Amino acid sequence: MTYIVNDNCIACKYTDCVEVCPVDCFYEGENMLVIHPDECIDCGVCEPECPADAIRPDTEPDMEKWVEFNRKYSEMWPVIITKKDPLPNAEEMDGKSGKIDLFSEAPGEGG
């Protein structure tokens, strides 16, 4: 099992989760984070840290696409281990539907 980040993270990018991850398996894109599924040790400490409820276990229904999504971008983006400020409109965007249309493939800064 692994945890994944879904589209709830897009345009919010809270980074509370990266500080608690014991194996540094979060990767940063321009407007969201992902988890490398092969590096995640299934400890679950990140899930309750996410204010946007964007971190879910891969055992929930229809998560296969998110496992592959997380795998793809974790191999392209830099690792992030330090908490940063969320995106400027994070509170406004939190919980909005259809955010996949706002997704950017561009990498973040990492760090």
Side-chain angles (χ1 to χ4, degrees):
M1 187 173 115
T2 185
Y3 282 81
I4 57 87
V5 180
N6 63 30
D7 55 341
N8 289 345
C9 185
I10 298 170
C12 291
K13 199 168 83 169
Y14 292 103
T15 57
D16 307 62
C17 53
V18 303
E19 283 193 320
V20 299
C21 180
V23 293
D24 302 336
C25 66
F26 281 89
Y27 292 80
E28 183 183 15
E30 180 179 38
N31 68 352
M32 80 174 290
L33 304 176
V34 293
I35 295 172
H36 194 300
D38 297 334
E39 296 173 1
C40 177
I41 60 170
D42 186 30
C43 68
V45 297
C46 59
E47 185 179 17
E49 297 299 317
C50 181
D53 194 31
I55 300 173
R56 311 299 311 158
D58 73 343
T59 54
E60 290 185 357
D62 302 319
M63 288 294 146
E64 298 84 13
K65 69 179 180 182
W66 288 109
V67 171
E68 290 313 310
F69 182 96
N70 278 245
R71 181 183 316 281
K72 176 181 178 179
Y73 292 103
S74 66
E75 292 174 357
M76 297 169 54
W77 293 346
V79 69
I80 178 171
I81 59 172
T82 306
K83 183 177 177 179
K84 300 178 180 182
D85 290 334
L87 293 176
N89 295 330
E91 286 186 29
E92 176 187 327
M93 295 303 294
D94 190 358
K96 295 226 176 189
S97 61
K99 293 199 304 182
I100 196 68
D101 295 337
L102 303 174
F103 172 69
S104 169
E105 289 189 346
E109 295 175 5

